[in-house]
Amino acid sequence: MAPLAKNIRVYNTLTKHKEHFEPVQPGKVGIYLCGPTVYKESHIGHMVGPVIFDTIKRYLVYSGYNVTWLVNITDVDDKLIAQSRERGLPMAQIAEEMTQDYLSNLATLGVDQIDQLPRATENMGEIILFIEQLIEKGFAYASGGDVFFDVLSDPEYGKLTNRSAESQQGEGGGAADKKHSAADFALWKAAKEDEPFWESPWGKGRPGWHIECSAMSRVAFGETFDIHGGGLDLVFPHHENEIAQSECCHGKPMAKYWLHNGLMRADSASGKLGGRADREEQTEEQAAVQATVDNKISRSTGGGGLADLVARQGGEKIRFFLLRTQYRSTIVFGEAQIAEAATGLETFYRFFERHERVQGRSFHDIQPIASRAEANAADQKPKAAGDTTRAEITRHRENFLAKMDDDFNTGAALSELFDLVHLLNKFADQHNLEDASLRSEQNVAVFQRGAEVLRELSALLGLFGQPAQAASANDAVIGKVVELLLELRGQARGRKDFAAADQLRDALAAAGVVVEDRQGGAGWRIESDDAEVLPPLVEVAIAQRAAARANKDYPLSDLIRDRLAAAGVVLEDRPEGATWRLE
RNA sequence: GGCGCCGUAGCCAAGUGGCUAAGGCAGCGGAUUGCAAAUCCGCCAUCGGCGGUUCGAAUCCGCCCGGCGCCUCCA
């Protein structure tokens, strides 16, 4: 087994301190993350936890641990029942539909490290067994078909959130008359008319909210496991109650480290997504603010949910947006914020293009070193005296790891990646790495080492695994048309007709294609929110051809038509001008 | 009311006792370029306010101002 990195520290909600991370069993880590109740489409707030825990798992695996990560799916719940009634569909069908929505959103955000996705309904036997054990041990009681946890029987109740059972004596909710104490919470709820149910020793019913996590975590990891995670909003009552259930049942700690991610807010005035501000009665002014927010959210997340936002922005931008902030902080959400943050990604994307120009192969084809120990060894290779760039690369790598070691500070770690790219750009500039006749093998090797480190570290964040823009069928056509136009522009530049050259570049820019002149030919990239860049490009080509025909330059005119045809664009000359279609 | 969190440049965001307060976005000046784009170089904050502890505080303590979360089966 690879040597373990021993210097990771995590912030533990239970102790309110950062602690040295040391799993229960050496080398093995179990992570339990509270997943969604699948009653409607995911919103972006549901992605915060999965993205950071996906990153945490990657980092722990890289650091030498054998990690199992579980995300539970709550597929039985009052809100699911309500949805089921509203839509006239079985609860299980809605749950399945929304689970698929959730999973596909996770997939586009690059969350692919989940090992187990247990459903509450698939663990009914374990849940009932757990409740029976609690009753047996005197921590729970059946009452009129319901079963409640007896909060006052647990002397440690409230230790996670620093409150006492006595202080939690509210009105007790709808089932108050069946409870011994108002703070008691349901482990099992008797089924009402028309509600889905499971058979149990207490009659037909369904589990309470908290018990599934106690039961399923025990199935997966045993009585004490390493990391329990969730959103900060789950600390009370959900996690407090999980602790009460599990620790009363087992007489030992449930989880060693409790990690909670911060919540997402729509804007500074309106509170978190789906939070109190979304539910309570509001003043007119608050309602106005909320309406704006709702518009923003509904426009941003679309009628179909998060999927539309992801389609517009791309999963990588959203992942980057989330990781740029330390996971315990509140994130203010807005599509504009995502777009602005994502501008920073361009720096990396341009570097990848540069890497390809230098090396003749894709940055994404570099196999990232997947083990910290192995990577450390690669870093120990003897360096030539005065090889300051190699030393700088190593320094950025070490800084990155130190920041990740400190409670997974992805935001701070990211700064090292930016620094690394700047370093490599500068190095490439200074040593003419893009000019095969001027560069040295040795310098190319240094540059490559930097790229490898960038690949290694960004893989830990789940970034840059593949090219950002998936090639579509249209892209090939666009590419050929752009190449044609750049050739025409190159000819204009060749005869110093800069007016014509600039006119072409401006026309390309208007279509969303940015031109970059460099030795050996012009480069280009699409920089437009609008996917429709092809039509204006073809129009530009047609205009060029019309000009050639006006000059009676028929060879050029025919060349343009033939090249467009080769690209798949067929021209048809008509009295009022040329029209075109895709072949 | 109880339990917590936050307030760092125009915006976002690291840093939580001691070198010149990371990084990103935006902006400005310069190199480069036919002009651009990209890239590179440089500039751009004394840390909500007041007081205290300390040789020394953005970082600890107190008060105040402002924002937010949980206490309601919301990630």
Side-chain angles (χ1 to χ4, degrees):
Chain A
M1 191 172 66
L4 298 171
K6 295 282 192 191
N7 32 8
I8 295 172
R9 297 194 313 145
V10 300
Y11 181 86
N12 190 351
T13 307
L14 189 59
T15 59
K16 305 255 190 302
H17 289 291
K18 279 184 192 171
E19 296 174 14
H20 183 78
F21 178 72
E22 188 84 66
V24 179
Q25 298 172 49
K28 262 187 90 172
V29 180
I31 304 176
Y32 187 103
L33 177 69
C34 283
T37 300
V38 282
Y39 68 103
K40 61 180 181 188
E41 284 91 357
S42 311
H43 62 247
I44 190 166
H46 292 116
M47 300 292 112
V48 180
V51 166
I52 182 61
F53 279 91
D54 180 84
T55 304
I56 288 172
K57 183 187 165 185
R58 287 167 192 266
Y59 195 68
L60 291 175
V61 168
Y62 168 80
S63 297
Y65 294 99
N66 181 359
V67 183
T68 304
W69 176 29
L70 179 159
V71 178
N72 73 295
I73 301 289
T74 302
D75 60 352
V76 48
D77 164 89
D78 289 355
K79 281 189 298 214
L80 259 162
I81 293 171
Q83 278 289 312
S84 167
R85 289 227 173 89
E86 204 173 296
R87 296 178 57 189
L89 296 170
M91 182 173 79
Q93 185 179 332
I94 291 172
E96 181 56 28
E97 192 183 309
M98 296 311 159
T99 300
Q100 290 314 316
D101 172 76
Y102 178 71
L103 295 179
S104 76
N105 282 315
L106 292 186
T108 24
L109 291 192
V111 175
D112 59 6
Q113 302 287 309
I114 301 172
D115 298 295
Q116 297 179 28
L117 280 157
R119 274 78 163 169
T121 57
E122 293 169 351
N123 289 271
M124 240 7 116
E126 279 296 328
I127 289 170
I128 290 168
L129 174 67
F130 207 108
I131 297 171
E132 286 179 315
Q133 290 171 339
L134 281 172
I135 294 175
E136 230 167 80
K137 297 187 179 185
F139 293 107
Y141 56 91
S143 175
D146 291 344
V147 180
F148 295 98
F149 185 87
D150 182 0
V151 165
L152 293 176
S153 71
D154 175 10
E156 295 202 327
Y157 188 81
K159 70 179 183 181
L160 181 65
T161 50
N162 192 23
R163 60 190 91 199
S164 65
E166 289 73 22
S167 74
Q168 295 308 119
Q169 303 299 315
E171 72 283 0
D177 50 329
K178 298 185 189 168
K179 294 182 182 179
H180 292 358
S181 157
D184 292 351
F185 56 90
L187 299 173
W188 189 261
K189 298 167 130 178
K192 298 193 191 81
E193 200 68 26
D194 294 334
E195 285 182 351
F197 62 84
W198 284 258
E199 296 290 349
S200 81
W202 318 283
K204 294 172 177 178
R206 64 180 183 277
W209 179 31
H210 319 294
I211 194 68
E212 68 179 72
C213 292
S214 286
M216 297 194 293
S217 67
R218 183 170 73 181
V219 171
F221 303 127
E223 295 179 350
T224 299
F225 59 96
D226 304 293
I227 296 176
H228 191 128
L232 261 173
D233 53 344
L234 295 183
V235 180
F236 191 92
H238 187 51
H239 290 164
E240 191 72 78
N241 290 350
E242 282 185 42
I243 288 178
Q245 293 161 355
S246 290
E247 302 197 354
C248 285
C249 189
H250 306 135
K252 55 179 78 160
M254 179 185 190
K256 213 170 161 188
Y257 307 100
W258 290 80
L259 273 54
H260 291 98
N261 58 270
L263 304 176
M264 191 163 269
R265 274 191 357 217
D267 71 22
S268 59
S270 62
K272 71 178 183 184
L273 296 185
R276 178 169 294 192
D278 282 355
R279 301 191 304 261
E280 278 198 335
E281 294 176 40
Q282 300 167 354
T283 65
E284 219 166 289
E285 192 184 342
Q286 285 171 329
V289 170
Q290 192 57 42
T292 321
V293 171
D294 285 344
N295 280 338
K296 202 192 302 176
I297 302 293
S298 58
R299 180 159 39 80
S300 302
T301 57
L306 182 59
D308 289 347
L309 174 71
V310 169
R312 275 198 306 282
Q313 294 292 340
E316 187 154 75
K317 285 186 185 176
I318 296 174
R319 186 172 180 118
F320 180 80
F321 169 71
L322 295 176
L323 290 177
R324 159 185 92 121
T325 305
Q326 211 280 341
Y327 76 88
R328 282 186 284 115
S329 304
T330 303
I331 298 176
V332 175
F333 162 77
E335 193 157 359
Q337 280 90 336
I338 293 176
E340 190 200 298
T343 307
L345 280 173
E346 298 295 330
T347 299
F348 294 100
Y349 296 160
R350 286 178 196 133
F351 174 78
F352 301 153
E353 290 167 5
R354 186 170 205 176
H355 174 271
E356 189 152 350
R357 292 197 298 274
V358 171
Q359 295 288 16
R361 59 197 144 89
S362 170
F363 172 84
H364 307 285
D365 291 341
I366 298 172
Q367 189 61 37
I369 303 182
S371 141
R372 184 171 187 163
E374 209 179 296
N376 284 344
D379 230 12
Q380 298 307 313
K381 279 186 188 155
K383 301 171 182 64
D387 191 347
T388 54
T389 298
R390 238 180 234 275
E392 287 284 285
I393 291 168
T394 296
R395 190 174 61 83
H396 289 309
R397 178 173 177 274
E398 285 168 352
N399 288 347
F400 179 99
L401 297 178
K403 288 168 174 177
M404 286 297 284
D405 281 343
D406 184 6
D407 198 25
F408 315 109
N409 194 340
T410 54
L414 229 22
S415 75
E416 297 296 332
L417 262 33
F418 277 100
D419 287 345
L420 181 56
V421 167
H422 289 315
L423 174 72
L424 296 177
N425 271 328
K426 185 175 173 180
F427 188 77
D429 277 358
Q430 288 174 339
H431 299 281
N432 299 300
L433 294 191
E434 289 189 52
D435 189 329
S437 62
L438 292 177
R439 70 189 178 197
S440 77
E441 284 304 310
Q442 200 178 2
N443 284 331
V444 171
V446 171
F447 179 81
Q448 182 61 15
R449 174 63 195 144
E452 283 166 6
V453 168
L454 180 61
R455 184 81 178 89
E456 171 194 342
L457 301 180
S458 57
L460 295 174
L461 301 177
L463 295 172
F464 312 144
Q466 339 170 353
Q469 290 164 340
S472 71
N474 229 13
D475 284 353
V477 182
I478 290 169
K480 286 176 183 166
V481 176
V482 171
E483 292 298 341
L484 168 63
L485 294 173
L486 287 181
E487 261 182 57
L488 297 175
R489 177 166 171 270
Q491 288 167 13
R493 293 183 75 209
R495 57 178 189 267
K496 304 271 187 219
D497 184 355
F498 293 122
D502 288 354
Q503 192 198 334
L504 262 169
R505 186 177 60 202
D506 291 347
L508 283 161
V513 175
V514 179
V515 177
E516 297 180 14
D517 287 324
R518 47 177 88 86
Q519 320 150 336
W524 61 278
R525 63 183 141 74
I526 294 174
E527 194 168 81
S528 168
D529 296 334
D530 190 353
E532 291 296 307
V533 299
L534 184 60
L537 287 176
V538 174
E539 292 303 332
V540 174
I542 288 174
Q544 289 289 314
R545 177 162 171 270
R549 292 178 75 193
N551 289 337
K552 302 215 189 300
D553 185 350
Y554 296 114
L556 178 59
S557 161
D558 291 349
L559 171 81
I560 293 172
R561 186 187 57 208
D562 294 347
R563 288 284 297 274
L564 284 174
V569 176
V570 180
L571 295 190
E572 292 176 14
D573 283 322
R574 298 174 193 286
E576 63 277 11
T579 62
W580 64 279
R581 63 184 160 78
L582 281 176
E583 197 168 36

